[in-house]
Amino acid sequence: MHTSTLHRLFPSAKFDEPLKRYTAWKIGGPADALLEPKSVEELVEATERAREHDVPLTILGGGTNVLIRDGGIRGLTIRLAKSLRNVEIEGTSVTAESGVLYPVLANTTAGRGLAGLEFATGIPGTVGGAVYMNAGAYGSETKEVLDWADVVKDHEVIRIKSEYLDLSYRHSALHENPDWVVVRAGYTLVPGDPTELKARIKEFRKQRMNGSPNRPSCGSTFKRPPGDFPGRVIEAAGLKGTRVGNIEVSPVHANYLVNLGGGTAEEALKLIDLVQVKVRERLGIELEAEVRILGDP
C-alpha cells in the first residue's frame, strides 16, 4: 500500500517505524504505519478506517510473546501498550483497558485488597494480549477471573462474556477471529488482605527473576507438552546454549531463546525449528511454539 495513502488515512501514525523498538525480543522489521491510539474511540475509528479501505491491520500489545519477521508489517499496526491504560475498580469488579500491563494490574488490584490477579505479575504483556492467549502463570490463568471482554467487531464495540471466548490453554476465540480487537476486559475478584497479596506478588516476582534470563527474549517460546515442561524437555535434549547466529537457547532457562544482540527473526525461526527437530529426534516429544509470528520475511 502506498505510503501517501496511509499518511492520509492515519495522519497521527509513525511511518516506516522499526518494530524492534517495540518488541521484547528486540527483533522486527519496519511497520508501514504504527499508531498508538489515545482513546478507545480513536482505536475504533482507526480499525474501521482500515477495514473500509482494505488496509491490513495488526494489533500489538506489549510486544512480548511475538516474533516480527525481518521484512516488517504491511498496512497499519496498532500498538496498545503505551495507550489505553485506564483501570476502574468498583467493589470486587475491575475494568481494565487493553493496554494496561498485566503486572501493573496485579499490583493495583492487590493494593486495593482484591485477590485473584496476583499471578499476572509473571506475565509481561498487556490485558488485551492476556485475553487473546488466556495468559497464565504460577498455576492460575486469565479465564479463572475474567468476566467479559469488550471487542471491536463489525464496526462496533460488543461485550462478549468469558464463556463465549472459548478460553483454553494459551488460546481464545480471537485466534479464529483475527479482526476482533479487545478494547477492555472485566474481572471479578474476591476480597483479600493487601499486605498478604503484595507479599505473594513479591514471592512470584522473586521466582521469576531467579528463573528467567535478563537478555531480550519473547518470554516462553514453547507451550507445555502434556505432563511436562518445555524448559526441562529442551534441557534434557542437551540443547541449552545452542545458537543460531545471535539467538541462543538460554543457559539459564531453556524455554527462553535470547537475543545476544543484533539477532534476526530468521535466526530465531531457524533456532525454533532446530529445537523442535532435536527434541522430536532425541525424546519423541512434539513441541509447539507459543510465540505468535507476524509480518513478512
Side-chain angles (χ1 to χ4, degrees):
M1 171 152 297
H2 214 278
T3 312
S4 60
T5 310
L6 291 170
H7 271 276
R8 196 185 75 243
L9 293 173
F10 311 106
S12 55
K14 293 174 180 163
F15 300 94
D16 210 24
E17 181 71 7
L19 287 167
K20 62 176 176 219
R21 294 176 185 166
Y22 304 93
T23 63
W25 226 337
K26 302 281 176 259
I27 291 174
D32 285 351
L34 178 76
L35 181 69
E36 297 178 306
K38 301 284 179 288
S39 64
V40 170
E41 291 70 35
E42 192 186 347
L43 169 65
V44 174
E45 198 181 307
T47 55
E48 212 162 288
R49 199 170 292 167
R51 285 184 194 131
E52 258 165 45
H53 294 85
D54 289 327
V55 177
L57 178 66
T58 304
I59 302 294
L60 205 54
T64 51
N65 201 59
V66 62
L67 177 60
I68 295 174
R69 291 174 186 259
D70 303 314
I73 298 181
R74 304 293 69 82
L76 177 67
T77 302
I78 295 181
R79 179 171 183 252
L80 301 175
K82 272 288 187 294
S83 41
L84 304 191
R85 292 195 295 192
N86 286 328
V87 178
E88 287 170 24
I89 299 175
E90 269 184 49
T92 54
S93 297
V94 176
T95 302
E97 288 184 340
S98 55
V100 174
L101 292 172
Y102 236 25
V104 170
L105 190 60
N107 273 337
T108 306
T109 51
R112 293 285 288 270
L114 292 174
L117 273 166
E118 301 86 289
F119 74 90
T121 195
I123 295 157
T126 56
V127 163
V131 172
Y132 178 84
M133 63 178 298
N134 183 26
Y138 314 117
S140 299
E141 54 185 5
T142 296
K143 89 185 251 191
E144 293 161 25
V145 284
L146 185 73
D147 244 358
W148 50 262
D150 280 352
V151 172
V152 181
K153 179 177 176 254
D154 304 329
H155 305 316
E156 56 177 349
V157 178
I158 64 160
R159 184 156 293 184
I160 303 179
K161 294 288 284 177
S162 177
E163 55 265 35
Y164 298 113
L165 283 166
D166 189 23
L167 299 170
S168 57
Y169 177 63
R170 302 297 173 266
H171 175 271
S172 74
L174 292 147
H175 290 220
E176 285 78 50
N177 300 280
D179 54 342
W180 293 6
V181 182
V182 177
V183 291
R184 61 177 83 79
Y187 303 84
T188 299
L189 304 181
V190 294
D193 178 310
T195 315
E196 281 171 27
L197 296 172
K198 288 206 152 156
R200 197 163 170 221
I201 285 177
K202 209 169 168 182
E203 191 46 50
F204 281 158
R205 204 174 293 137
K206 207 160 84 193
Q207 278 180 40
R208 187 170 180 87
M209 294 315 286
N210 291 342
S212 57
N214 61 353
R215 288 183 180 274
S217 76
C218 68
S220 303
T221 313
F222 298 98
K223 294 181 181 180
R224 283 200 311 263
D228 214 328
F229 292 97
R232 194 206 67 79
V233 168
I234 297 163
E235 188 172 346
L239 296 169
K240 266 190 170 181
T242 304
R243 277 178 70 167
V244 171
N246 285 315
I247 308 290
E248 176 184 62
V249 177
S250 171
V252 180
H253 188 317
N255 197 24
Y256 288 76
L257 304 191
V258 296
N259 184 354
L260 301 172
T264 65
E266 194 182 350
E267 291 167 353
L269 288 166
K270 280 184 179 157
L271 188 54
I272 286 171
D273 195 47
L274 179 73
V275 168
Q276 286 171 318
V277 169
K278 295 288 182 207
V279 165
R280 187 184 304 127
E281 281 173 3
R282 293 173 188 175
L283 304 169
I285 292 170
E286 291 291 336
L287 280 183
E288 193 188 335
E290 181 175 301
V291 61
R292 256 174 97 200
I293 296 158
L294 299 172
D296 296 348

